[in-house]
């Protein structure tokens, strides 16, 4: 009857009516049917309809499928029709995913995307991102439940590091002291404990790199000063300085993840008051202050200086001189950032709370000891908060109901991912788990499941765009009036309460994260603008504001910004950060920086930093703010511009488009 059929790509191929029978029979079996003869009879009906509608011309695969659905419904086989429609939809989504994947690969081969400002445009980076695109397509279309996958695709939520969904964990605070004291094996033999400062810092760099190869997120030494101190005890200042300088060089040049990026490294320092510990703090700061070989601003490590009364905050404290040094270095180099051990939520843990440059904080633990070392975030997913507000149309109760439902869905997604992660074995992360970096992993053998270990990690729900949410709900953001600020705090407290209840219900560490939105800030707003049009203050720009921050283009004093943002830190127990923005390095006004840090402490801030431009001429080495396209000294146009993007530093040329626009719109705080 028919000899040809047209495929979706336009090719004409031999027509085989048996394919119709097979498809109908598969749909019937899916709902309990077993009559192959009936499938043949239905195929004859399909052919009859095709002859009536397409006589004399070649029909398409889509024509056949439409006719099959029509025949099944008309003949009273509704369940089979539904199964066939679902199967057809699944196949369509798989084809679309393959097509999207090929498009993504084509784009990557031209230039890597800039979702991650730490990834270069090298051949290794391209291969990494091609693998990433394929992994995302697989997880969304084959592994993740459809309702959750659809929520991500629609932009209701964003599953971070989707390409690593079932492969590994996000980040960890590495127990550096334990590894240096006992030695370790990173795959090619045992490395014995070091004896001198240079060996200790060289091994610290290797440890960071080895752990990064097992994970997709940040690597932190939560107690770098304390853990390094034993190896500095017999050395002089010069030897310690050289060791710290070498560490900084290594962390800006030693690549991991198939050579595509340097490790996301963070070093927490500031509270060791022993002479060797003080030497570590002093010399890592001095080495960072000096910069790289020609004076360039280092990108890594992200140094985090712990501030604590009685240790370094006030004159007379044993490390007050180091606090002053940290302020001096931060006022030139953007690092260190500062964590506050006396904030209401950190104080119960003394000086034991560690942060990462991405803002991650891991402390409470419903499954074991409340410690920092050996723990990290397992995965996190961000809620599109402004979209919920737009859809609520200023109905606050409607907003809260949809927020509650979306948090529940996000927790389901995190649980699904957790169950997959729990199925991994020690051998899947041979350094992280095999060398005992993760809490209790030293009790496991090479083929054991890591389920009993990762329960110590956290599962975080993040949020973005509180400012735009408030604008959509009330017409004002929290920087503009107290009513919006009160509602903002109420919304964030509501989210935290939901996650505390989830933690109790599931006996897992569900926490609330002030999302560090790098690649995400532009994705959500672009989708919402397409769906809901231009809404002033909400969708009329290229990015949503990070987490609970005051909009970057809103004129506000540094002290008001700190006061308003400070209330949100206590709720975001998975991590948070606040910044103040200067238009130039405050090197000539260190007292003002110290006063700001003290005010941050009073406002219950947990983690914070100061931002300003750092520009470096690669021609003559000029360092300062360069407002033009060329160096004021030698007139070359080769300018290296370093800025803080989401916690870590990066050069401006690696910012994605949304973050580039945000950078241009930032205003300095008075």
């Amino acid at each position: 009857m028919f000899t040809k059929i047209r495929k979706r790509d336009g090719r004409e191929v031999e027509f085989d009516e048996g394919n119709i029978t097979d498809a109908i029979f598969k749909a019937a079996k899916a709902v309990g049917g077993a009559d192959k003869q009936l499938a043949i009879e239905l195929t004859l009906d399909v052919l009859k309809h095709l002859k009536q509608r397409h006589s004399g011309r070649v029909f398409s695969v889509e024509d056949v499928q439409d006719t099959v659905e029509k025949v099944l419904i008309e003949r009273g086989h509704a369940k089979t029709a539904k199964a066939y429609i679902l199967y057809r939809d699944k196949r369509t989504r798989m084809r679309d995913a393959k097509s999207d994947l090929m498009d993504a690969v084509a784009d990557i081969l031209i230039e890597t995307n800039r979702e991650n400002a730490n990834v270069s445009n090298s051949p290794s980076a391209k291969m990494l991102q091609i693998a990433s695109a394929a992994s995302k397509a697989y997880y969304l279309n084959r592994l993740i439940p459809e309702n959750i996958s659809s929520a991500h695709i629609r932009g209701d939520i964003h599953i971070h590091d989707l390409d690593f969904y079932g492969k590994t964990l996000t980040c960890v605070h590495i127990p550096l002291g334990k590894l240096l004291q006992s030695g370790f094996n990173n795959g090619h033999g045992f490395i014995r404990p070091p004896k001198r400062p240079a060996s200790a810092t060289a091994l610290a760099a290797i440890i960071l790199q080895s752990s990064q190869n097992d994970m997709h997120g940040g690597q932190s030494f939560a107690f770098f000063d304390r853990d390094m101190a034993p190896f500095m005890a017999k050395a002089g200042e010069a030897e310690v300085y050289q060791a710290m300088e070498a560490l900084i060089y290594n962390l800006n040049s030693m690549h991991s993840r198939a050579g595509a990026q340097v490790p996301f490294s963070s070093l927490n320092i500031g509270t060791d008051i022993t002479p060797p510990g003080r030497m570590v703090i002093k010399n890592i700061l001095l080495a960072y202050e000096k910069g790289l070989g020609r004076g360039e601003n280092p990108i890594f490590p992200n140094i985090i200086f712990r501030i604590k009364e009685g240790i370094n905050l006030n004159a007379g404290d044993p490390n007050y001189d180091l606090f002053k040094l940290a302020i001096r270095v931060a006022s030139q180099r953007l690092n260190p950032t500062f964590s506050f051990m006396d904030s209401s939520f950190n104080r119960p843990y003394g000086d034991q709370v560690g942060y990462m440059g991405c803002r991650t904080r891991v402390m409470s633990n419903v499954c074991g000891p409340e410690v920092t070392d050996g723990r990290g975030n397992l995965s996190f997913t961000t809620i599109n908060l402004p979209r919920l507000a737009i859809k609520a149309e200023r109905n606050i109760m409607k907003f809260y109901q949809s927020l509650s439902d979306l948090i529940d869905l996000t927790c389901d997604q995190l649980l699904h991912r957790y169950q997959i992660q729990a199925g991994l074995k020690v051998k899947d992360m041979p350094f992280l788990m095999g060398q005992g970096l993760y809490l209790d992993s030293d009790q496991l053998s090479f083929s054991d499941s890591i389920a009993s270990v990762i329960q110590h990690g956290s599962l975080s729900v993040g949020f973005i765009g509180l400012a735009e949410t408030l604008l959509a709900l009330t017409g004002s953001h929290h920087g503009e009036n107290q009513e919006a600020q009160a509602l903002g705090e109420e919304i964030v407290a509501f989210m935290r309460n939901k996650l505390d209840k989830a933690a109790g219900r599931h006996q897992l560490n569900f926490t609330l994260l002030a999302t560090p939105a790098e690649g995400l800030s532009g994705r959500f707003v672009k989708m919402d603008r397409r769906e809901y049009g231009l809404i002033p203050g909400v969708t009329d720009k290229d990015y949503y504001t990070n987490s609970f921050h005051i909009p970057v283009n809103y004129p506000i004093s540094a002290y008001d910004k700190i006061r308003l943002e400070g209330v949100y830190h206590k709720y975001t127990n998975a991590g948070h950060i606040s910044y103040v923005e200067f238009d130039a390095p405050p090197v000539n006004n260190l007292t003002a920086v110290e006063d700001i840090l003290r005010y941050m402490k009073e406002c219950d801030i947990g983690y914070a930093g100061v931002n300003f431009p750092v520009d470096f001429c690669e021609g003559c080495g000029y360092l300062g703010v360069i407002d033009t396209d060329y160096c004021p000294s030698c007139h070359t146009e080769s300018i290296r511009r370093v800025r803080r993007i989401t916690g870590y530093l990066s050069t401006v040329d690696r910012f994605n488009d949304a973050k580039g626009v945000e950078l241009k719109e930032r205003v300095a705080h008075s």
Side-chain angles (χ1 to χ4, degrees):
M1 184 184 296
F2 302 112
T3 59
K4 298 287 185 182
I5 186 172
R6 189 172 63 255
K7 304 283 282 185
R8 289 177 179 83
D9 59 8
R11 291 180 296 120
E12 292 186 4
V13 299
E14 295 296 320
F15 175 74
D16 183 357
E17 64 185 59
N19 292 335
I20 300 175
T21 304
D22 291 342
I24 293 173
F25 190 52
K26 283 180 182 178
K29 287 200 295 184
V31 293
D35 190 344
K36 185 66 175 284
Q37 183 58 40
L38 180 58
I40 294 172
E41 293 173 8
L42 290 168
T43 300
L44 294 175
D45 277 357
V46 169
L47 295 174
K48 190 182 300 180
H49 277 76
L50 287 170
K51 184 177 181 180
Q52 291 171 354
R53 297 186 61 187
H54 302 285
S55 179
R57 67 181 180 90
V58 176
F59 47 79
S60 69
V61 170
E62 293 287 345
D63 293 331
V64 174
Q65 292 180 335
D66 290 344
T67 305
V68 169
E69 290 177 14
K70 177 180 174 64
V71 166
L72 287 173
I73 292 169
E74 288 179 349
R75 289 283 299 269
H77 301 286
K79 289 184 178 179
T80 302
K82 183 177 180 181
Y84 181 82
I85 291 167
L86 289 173
Y87 174 75
R88 180 184 179 183
D89 178 64
K90 182 178 179 181
R91 296 283 296 180
T92 299
R93 287 190 292 108
M94 288 172 64
R95 282 192 304 273
D96 289 344
K98 289 177 183 178
S99 177
D100 291 344
L101 173 60
M102 293 303 102
D103 290 343
V105 170
D107 290 341
I108 291 165
L109 288 173
I110 298 170
E111 182 179 11
T112 56
N113 71 50
R114 289 173 290 167
E115 287 185 9
N116 179 344
N118 192 28
V119 173
S120 68
N121 195 41
S122 68
S124 294
K126 287 183 170 65
M127 287 300 294
L128 177 71
Q129 293 208 331
I130 289 170
S132 169
S135 292
K136 289 177 181 178
Y138 169 75
Y139 289 129
L140 285 173
N141 291 284
R142 297 290 187 90
L143 185 69
I144 299 172
E146 188 172 352
N147 64 324
I148 295 171
S149 175
S150 296
H152 172 89
I153 293 168
R154 284 194 309 268
D156 294 334
I157 63 174
H158 182 83
I159 302 171
H160 292 269
D161 301 293
L162 174 62
D163 44 345
F164 285 93
Y165 195 94
K167 299 183 183 79
T168 185
L169 318 177
T170 299
C171 57
V172 68
H173 288 288
I174 299 170
L176 176 62
K178 170 185 171 182
L179 292 173
L180 291 181
Q181 294 285 351
S182 61
F184 59 89
N185 187 329
N186 72 337
H188 294 286
F190 182 74
I191 298 177
R192 63 174 174 76
K195 295 181 179 179
R196 304 299 302 178
S199 299
T201 58
L203 293 187
I206 291 170
I207 289 167
L208 283 168
Q209 182 187 42
S210 300
S211 186
Q212 182 76 89
N213 280 327
D214 277 1
M215 309 187 80
H216 60 73
Q219 307 299 315
S220 165
F221 294 144
F223 305 99
F224 182 73
D225 45 2
R226 180 200 70 189
D227 292 349
M228 273 289 167
F231 307 98
M232 310 295 145
K234 297 179 181 179
E237 289 279 351
E239 187 178 0
V240 175
Y241 176 84
Q242 289 175 350
M244 298 303 157
E245 182 180 56
L247 176 65
I248 289 171
Y249 278 29
N250 275 332
L251 294 183
N252 285 277
S253 59
M254 182 175 67
H255 286 71
S256 61
R257 287 177 70 181
Q261 66 181 47
V262 295
F264 287 100
S265 54
S266 295
L267 312 180
N268 290 256
I269 61 171
T271 52
D272 191 320
I273 61 174
T274 67
R278 283 175 47 81
M279 270 203 296
V280 172
I281 299 167
K282 176 182 177 181
N283 286 287
I284 192 69
L285 289 172
L286 289 174
Y288 198 93
E289 181 180 41
K290 184 178 181 182
L292 300 179
R294 296 185 298 168
E296 302 98 322
N297 206 98
I299 300 299
F300 290 105
N302 189 77
I303 302 174
I304 303 162
F305 190 93
R306 285 189 176 92
I307 297 175
K308 184 160 181 62
E309 287 189 66
I311 293 179
N312 54 33
L313 179 64
N314 300 308
D317 289 348
N319 281 3
Y320 180 63
D321 61 326
L322 298 177
F323 176 43
K324 301 280 273 191
L325 175 60
I327 292 171
R328 187 183 88 195
V329 177
S331 297
Q332 299 173 68
R333 296 294 192 181
L334 293 165
N335 272 327
T337 46
F338 298 88
S339 61
F340 299 86
M341 296 297 101
D342 295 315
S343 60
S344 62
F345 43 90
N346 286 335
R347 189 182 306 119
Y349 305 106
D351 64 349
Q352 298 299 297
V353 180
Y355 282 88
M356 296 188 194
C358 60
R359 74 193 60 189
T360 295
R361 174 187 180 274
V362 182
M363 207 63 217
S364 61
N365 189 2
V366 299
C367 299
E370 295 185 316
V371 296
T372 293
D373 262 354
R375 301 176 61 212
N377 183 249
L378 303 177
S379 59
F380 68 102
T381 296
T382 292
I383 285 173
N384 186 345
L385 209 57
R387 176 178 290 184
L388 299 178
I390 294 168
K391 292 170 70 174
E393 298 178 321
R394 301 206 173 190
N395 183 326
I396 300 296
M397 293 308 297
K398 182 179 178 181
F399 169 79
Y400 273 119
Q401 184 57 60
S402 60
L403 176 57
S404 178
D405 292 343
L406 194 56
I407 290 174
D408 289 342
L409 176 76
T410 307
C411 287
D412 288 344
Q413 179 270 310
L414 289 168
L415 278 171
H416 177 260
R417 189 169 187 173
Y418 174 82
Q419 290 159 0
I420 293 170
Q421 291 169 327
L424 296 170
K425 300 183 184 300
V426 171
K427 62 184 178 183
D428 294 318
M429 286 163 270
F431 189 74
L432 176 68
M433 297 295 174
Q435 296 303 300
L437 276 66
Y438 221 87
L439 185 63
D440 290 343
S441 62
D442 52 4
Q443 307 299 312
L444 303 177
S445 62
F446 199 58
S447 297
D448 284 345
S449 161
I450 63 172
S452 63
V453 168
I454 66 169
Q455 64 179 347
H456 297 303
S458 60
L459 299 165
S460 301
V461 175
F463 65 95
I464 189 174
L466 180 65
E468 289 78 14
T469 300
L470 294 170
L471 278 160
L473 289 173
T474 72
S476 302
H477 62 68
H478 49 318
E480 294 178 308
N481 62 58
Q482 184 54 42
E483 291 76 16
Q485 168 75 342
L487 179 58
E489 183 175 1
E490 181 183 283
I491 290 168
V492 177
F494 175 86
M495 291 190 284
R496 171 63 186 274
N497 183 55
K498 285 276 295 183
L499 291 167
D500 284 349
K501 289 180 178 178
R505 185 165 62 252
H506 298 289
Q507 284 300 289
L508 290 171
N509 296 309
F510 281 94
T511 51
L512 180 64
L513 177 70
T515 290
E518 186 175 342
L520 171 60
S521 62
R523 176 181 182 247
F524 275 170
V525 74
K526 186 184 298 183
M527 299 173 83
D528 289 347
R529 183 165 55 244
R530 186 168 59 240
E531 182 73 19
Y532 304 106
L534 285 173
I535 303 172
V538 183
T539 63
D540 61 348
K541 54 187 188 298
D542 292 312
Y543 58 91
Y544 279 148
T545 304
N546 261 3
S547 58
F548 52 69
H549 291 181
I550 303 294
V552 299
N553 61 351
Y554 182 69
I556 189 172
S557 74
Y559 284 84
D560 284 343
K561 183 177 191 291
I562 292 164
R563 175 179 54 82
L564 292 171
E565 292 185 3
V567 302
Y568 298 101
H569 282 234
K570 62 179 173 289
Y571 299 113
T572 47
N573 56 336
H576 40 245
I577 196 166
S578 286
Y579 303 116
V580 292
E581 203 81 32
F582 298 121
D583 56 10
V587 290
N588 297 318
N589 200 356
L590 301 184
T591 300
V593 177
E594 183 170 348
D595 289 344
I596 284 172
L597 291 171
R598 291 181 181 279
Y599 188 66
M600 287 175 170
K601 174 183 177 296
E602 291 177 22
C603 292
D604 214 25
I605 294 279
Y607 182 40
V610 292
N611 286 348
F612 47 84
V614 176
D615 299 330
F616 176 81
C617 173
E618 296 183 321
C620 69
Y622 177 90
L623 183 67
V625 179
I626 303 176
D627 291 324
T628 60
D629 293 333
Y630 56 87
C631 172
S633 177
C634 71
H635 302 290
T636 182
E637 295 183 0
S638 183
I639 309 298
R640 184 175 187 262
R641 303 181 189 275
V642 175
R643 305 290 187 271
R644 197 186 314 279
I645 178 172
T646 56
Y648 295 108
L649 304 184
S650 179
T651 51
V652 170
D653 59 295
R654 293 193 179 185
F655 282 20
N656 60 51
D657 292 340
K659 282 298 177 183
V661 173
E662 179 192 317
L663 176 65
K664 291 177 182 177
E665 295 187 356
R666 290 181 188 176
V667 297
H669 302 122
S670 56

